[in-house]
């Protein structure tokens, strides 16, 4: 099983631990990944507001490189998944738009045209669709560990674009948590947006939401929050102290990247999955 990896900007920088842990987990699961060469930022849900056509072109370019590699694309970022899949859906449905985008790619000197042959999927979806990948490899069952499953909004909506499971009542992250031997816990704020993309524009409101999410998971008895989105992880981990202050909470909950949780169940240590890079609640993690 091999994929063209679209890491996205965050994994190349601020969330480097998400990248290193992904590579180690994929190696243990026999998932071969090859990074898309010369990829560019997906636009991070903002570029289309400035220039919609430019946002389409950059994502068509990214996908076309994977097509040239002969591989489907795997991402580990909800927002990257949404941007790539949105571009693909629009281009595959509109021949004239596809022709226009390919014309721009050619004029810019890009050697490949967008064809629409590579699928775009998420690491979490791959694990959900292929439970056999974990068979016999979970060496440290997380028995008694209560995990709050926090999807993040961009992996769920819009349903017609993301199209994996039930966008309103998803269960596949909980399913994976159970497969690792842990117990998923329901918490009131499990479907709230973390607010990452509005942090600068509405800081107080976003910090309030951050605090509500962590406090809700803590009240539900969660020992950690696991999320498939590095942007959500960054928001909840980096701003957990400010979030506590905003909602007058005492909650301190470790925030794990999905691949870190999987890695711990596969026998990797906290150091090997990069947990030492986290900002909040390091001493609270009782796994690994």
């Amino acid at each position: 099983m091999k994929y063209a990896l679209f890491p996205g900007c965050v994994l190349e920088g601020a969330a480097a631990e998400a990248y290193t842990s992904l590579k180690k987990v994929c190696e243990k699961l026999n998932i071969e990944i090859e990074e898309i060469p010369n990829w560019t930022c997906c636009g991070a849900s903002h570029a289309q507001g400035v220039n919609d056509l430019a946002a389409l072109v950059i994502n068509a370019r990214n996908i076309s490189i994977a097509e040239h590699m002969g591989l489907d694309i795997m991402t580990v970022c909800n927002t990257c998944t949404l941007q790539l899949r949105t571009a693909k859906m629009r281009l595959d449905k509109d021949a004239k738009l596809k022709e226009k985008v390919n014309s721009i790619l050619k004029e810019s000197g890009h050697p490949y045209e967008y064809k629409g042959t590579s699928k775009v999927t998420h690491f979490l979806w791959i694990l959900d669709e292929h439970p056999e990948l974990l068979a016999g490899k979970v060496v440290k069952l997380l028995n008694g560990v209560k995990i709050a499953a926090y999807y993040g909004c961009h992996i769920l909506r819009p349903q017609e674009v993301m199209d994996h499971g039930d966008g309103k009542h998803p269960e596949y992250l909980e399913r994976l948590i159970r497969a690792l031997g842990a117990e998923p816990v329901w918490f009131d704020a499990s479907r709230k947006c973390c607010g990452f993309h509005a942090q600068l524009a509405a800081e107080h409101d976003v910090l309030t939401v951050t605090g509500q999410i962590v406090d809700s998971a803590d009240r539900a008895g969660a020992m950690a929050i696991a999320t498939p989105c590095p942007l959500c992880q960054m928001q909840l981990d980096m701003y957990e102290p400010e979030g506590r202050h905003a909602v007058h909470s005492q909650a301190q909950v470790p925030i794990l990247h999905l691949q870190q949780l999987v890695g711990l169940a596969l026998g990797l240590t906290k150091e090997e999955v990069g947990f030492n890079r986290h900002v909040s609640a390091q001493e609270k993690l009782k796994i690994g």
Side-chain angles (χ1 to χ4, degrees):
M1 184 178 289
K2 183 175 181 178
Y3 292 93
L5 176 67
F6 184 83
C9 306
V10 177
L11 265 66
E12 288 280 295
E17 73 281 357
Y19 201 176
T20 56
S21 58
L22 174 74
K23 288 189 285 188
K24 291 174 182 177
V25 166
C26 284
E27 183 177 355
K28 283 185 170 290
L29 296 179
N30 296 319
I31 300 173
E32 187 178 352
I33 52 176
E34 182 179 348
E35 185 173 325
I36 296 173
N38 300 313
W39 58 269
T40 49
C41 175
C42 70
S45 82
H46 296 301
Q48 70 270 29
V50 178
N51 190 319
D52 181 62
L53 182 59
L56 274 175
V57 171
I58 59 173
N59 284 297
R61 177 188 175 278
N62 287 322
I63 298 171
S64 73
I65 301 172
E67 291 174 345
H68 179 71
M69 297 165 71
L71 298 170
D72 289 335
I73 297 172
M74 180 179 82
T75 75
V76 281
C77 174
N78 293 4
T79 301
C80 291
T81 309
L82 175 61
Q83 297 308 306
L84 289 165
R85 286 178 69 93
T86 297
K88 177 174 172 57
M89 175 174 282
R90 291 179 61 188
L91 293 170
D92 290 350
K93 286 185 174 181
D94 190 333
K96 288 186 178 180
L97 183 60
K98 178 180 173 181
E99 182 180 357
K100 183 175 184 179
V101 164
N102 276 326
S103 175
I104 295 172
L105 288 174
K106 183 177 181 179
E107 185 178 351
S108 70
H110 184 62
Y112 318 121
E113 67 174 14
Y114 171 85
K115 298 177 181 178
T117 56
S118 289
K119 297 179 181 178
V120 179
T121 190
H122 191 288
F123 177 61
L124 172 57
W125 296 349
I126 293 169
L127 296 184
D128 184 49
E129 292 169 348
H130 297 280
E132 72 277 5
L133 289 170
L134 290 169
K137 295 170 184 167
V138 179
V139 299
K140 185 175 182 179
L141 281 171
L142 307 179
N143 293 325
V145 178
K146 296 183 176 181
I147 302 291
Y150 184 73
Y151 287 85
C153 50
H154 282 172
I155 201 169
L156 301 175
R157 299 182 287 275
Q159 176 77 42
E160 63 272 17
V161 176
M162 304 314 279
D163 193 28
H164 185 92
D166 186 331
K168 292 183 178 180
H169 306 286
E171 297 180 357
Y172 51 90
L173 180 51
E174 288 86 352
R175 200 155 47 229
L176 175 59
I177 289 170
R178 292 189 188 96
L180 301 176
E183 176 187 347
V185 298
W186 171 259
F187 62 115
D188 294 340
S190 64
R191 303 299 182 263
K192 276 184 176 289
C193 171
C194 74
F196 176 89
H197 295 283
Q199 174 66 32
L200 297 179
E203 183 178 11
H204 175 72
D205 291 339
V206 170
L207 291 178
T208 298
V209 170
T210 296
Q212 289 172 342
I213 292 168
V214 176
D215 184 69
S216 175
D218 182 65
R219 286 186 285 104
M223 300 167 67
I225 295 173
T227 177
C229 181
L231 304 183
C232 293
Q233 193 281 336
M234 287 176 58
Q235 180 65 37
L236 298 180
D237 180 49
M238 291 172 59
Y239 293 100
E240 188 172 304
E242 292 87 346
R244 275 199 305 273
H245 179 74
V247 299
H248 309 290
S249 168
Q250 300 300 315
Q252 296 185 52
V253 182
I255 316 296
L256 293 173
H257 297 283
L258 169 67
Q259 54 267 40
Q260 289 180 315
L261 180 67
V262 175
L264 292 170
L266 296 179
L268 297 174
T269 66
K270 292 179 185 178
E271 291 72 25
E272 286 175 319
V273 300
F275 187 68
N276 57 303
R277 284 177 51 87
H278 289 218
V279 174
S280 300
Q282 283 203 24
E283 72 286 352
K284 297 287 185 179
L285 185 65
K286 306 304 180 184
I287 311 170

